Amino acid sequence: MAVKSSFVLFSSSIPIITSYSPRCSKLKPPRGKITAFSCSDLRYDDDDDKQKAPMKRSHGESFCCICGRRRFIEGATATSTALAMFPICPSNASNLHSDDYMSVLNKVHPPRSDWYEEFYASVLDKGMDSYEAEIADYKLQLFSNLKGKAQKVLEIGIGTGPNLKYYAGEADVQVFGMDPNRKMEKYAQAAAEAAGLPLTNFEFLQAVGEAIPLSDASVDAVVGTLVLCSVKDVDMTLKEVKRVLRPGGIYLFVEHVAAKDGTVLRFMQNVLDPLQQTVADGCHLTRETGMKISEAGFSGVELNKAFLSSAFFINPQVYGIACK
């Protein structure tokens, strides 16, 4: 679920946290070009005239962006080692039994040809350099909050593992990298080794976000960047994220969202959305992902908004922390 590509239309950015506790701390954007707003001030990514839910919408500037990386992190089948460490139990969120995970994976992410999966993985591995360079400062500050505070981390839509270098360098960290594309595994393993994470502490799970093959309250943190744009069911994926988080655990996210209604960017997103879903493995340009996260039932959410020059039609982006 976490796949990037040079021919796709979107990207993201990220925040910082001051402490790892059941309560969310304030996020401080590292650059002036990010407009921050707290959970209580969360706004929609639409225009100000629409009446939706008990929340306010955001005044997003518009900018062109290319959604370069999308997460294949939908639902799941786990590898045998991972299952031994975290036995699969029926999901409270989805009521699945262990032998159902493969069927969910195949339904959400139907099997593709090996050559296509390998091609997509190789494109993501090399095609996101400019995007990753632009958000490096944000990611560095965001993921530094995991170091020494989260021993078990699940990254949904891990793709080729570009985030691992920010949080996986400590010997006591156990990382579960989840993605429906099995060809991502070798790239993610290489990224783990480059980050200083022993492969004995890294487990690749072939799965999707709608059916995460880990036990309830089994991880300290969940990481997801550019993932919810392409899952089949955003609400179910967020329920699964909450389910596997321990009490007080945190969900770190970066997602692109729909531009403000009435803007040229939103018009272009509406026009290009069908094409984007085709060439970017289901990525949607017009989802209200920030609103979805805020209404998912977390105890606290901190959201920030950013516009990236390297992310054309996949602006604006929201990033932040949600606490269970």
Side-chain angles (χ1 to χ4, degrees):
M1 160 133 358
V3 181
K4 338 177 201 181
S5 90
S6 57
F7 51 80
V8 197
L9 320 167
F10 52 101
S11 304
S12 70
S13 44
I14 310 181
I16 56 180
I17 311 170
T18 56
S19 65
Y20 179 74
S21 66
R23 301 189 60 174
C24 291
S25 55
K26 296 294 181 180
L27 304 179
K28 302 175 183 177
R31 298 178 185 172
K33 61 180 178 181
I34 291 183
T35 304
F37 50 95
S38 69
C39 178
S40 60
D41 296 323
L42 178 63
R43 307 170 180 185
Y44 284 96
D45 309 298
D46 298 334
D47 61 277
D48 292 323
D49 299 322
K50 278 190 177 178
Q51 297 294 322
K52 297 183 182 178
M55 302 174 67
K56 295 177 261 186
R57 295 169 289 280
S58 70
H59 309 281
E61 306 168 36
S62 56
F63 197 86
C64 288
C65 171
I66 279 199
C67 188
R69 154 185 181 165
R70 61 140 294 181
R71 307 284 175 183
F72 273 124
I73 83 188
E74 318 170 343
T77 61
T79 63
S80 58
T81 304
L83 294 177
M85 300 182 66
F86 285 113
I88 290 182
C89 64
S91 164
N92 290 340
S94 57
N95 251 351
L96 294 176
H97 297 286
S98 59
D99 56 355
D100 291 328
Y101 285 102
M102 181 61 77
S103 63
V104 174
L105 171 63
N106 291 335
K107 180 178 179 180
V108 173
H109 183 79
R112 289 96 188 274
S113 301
D114 283 351
W115 72 265
Y116 175 81
E117 299 280 62
E118 177 60 40
F119 170 74
Y120 209 74
S122 64
V123 168
L124 287 186
D125 189 49
K126 301 299 182 184
M128 295 293 290
D129 290 349
S130 60
Y131 166 77
E132 292 296 338
E134 186 170 4
I135 67 168
D137 289 347
Y138 304 117
K139 285 190 174 184
L140 182 64
Q141 295 184 53
L142 174 64
F143 293 122
S144 66
N145 293 277
L146 295 180
K147 294 184 177 181
K149 303 162 187 173
Q151 291 187 323
K152 293 179 181 178
V153 179
L154 165 67
E155 180 163 354
I156 57 176
I158 193 170
T160 57
N163 295 325
L164 290 171
K165 62 185 176 183
Y166 296 105
Y167 69 85
E170 298 186 14
D172 60 342
V173 174
Q174 177 74 43
V175 178
F176 295 90
M178 196 178 83
D179 201 291
N181 185 346
R182 171 61 70 179
K183 299 299 182 180
M184 298 291 182
E185 182 175 9
K186 63 182 179 182
Y187 296 99
Q189 286 181 338
E193 290 185 297
L197 179 70
L199 288 184
T200 53
N201 287 20
F202 177 78
E203 189 65 42
F204 183 87
L205 308 177
Q206 187 181 17
V208 291
E210 291 86 345
I212 298 174
L214 295 179
S215 301
D216 296 356
S218 58
V219 297
D220 302 309
V222 175
V223 171
T225 61
L226 298 181
V227 172
L228 298 182
C229 60
S230 58
V231 300
K232 294 291 185 182
D233 190 327
V234 176
D235 293 332
M236 180 61 70
T237 299
L238 289 171
K239 287 179 181 178
E240 285 289 274
V241 167
K242 287 170 52 187
R243 179 183 66 80
V244 300
L245 276 174
R246 67 163 179 78
I250 58 175
Y251 167 44
L252 308 182
F253 60 87
V254 179
E255 300 289 347
H256 66 90
V257 298
K260 182 179 178 182
D261 279 344
T263 62
V264 173
L265 176 56
R266 181 58 180 270
F267 172 78
M268 296 175 71
Q269 288 175 338
N270 290 338
V271 171
L272 293 171
D273 196 43
L275 175 62
Q276 174 74 356
Q277 292 179 45
T278 299
V279 301
D281 201 27
C283 170
H284 294 71
L285 295 175
T286 57
R287 282 185 171 173
E288 306 286 358
T289 308
M291 179 266 289
K292 288 285 189 180
I293 295 173
S294 71
E295 295 181 342
F298 290 98
S299 65
V301 177
E302 292 287 340
L303 272 171
N304 288 273
K305 180 177 288 189
F307 294 82
L308 301 182
S309 61
S310 62
F312 303 113
F313 298 105
I314 55 171
N315 275 312
Q317 305 211 350
V318 294
Y319 62 91
I321 308 164
C323 305
K324 182 175 178 179

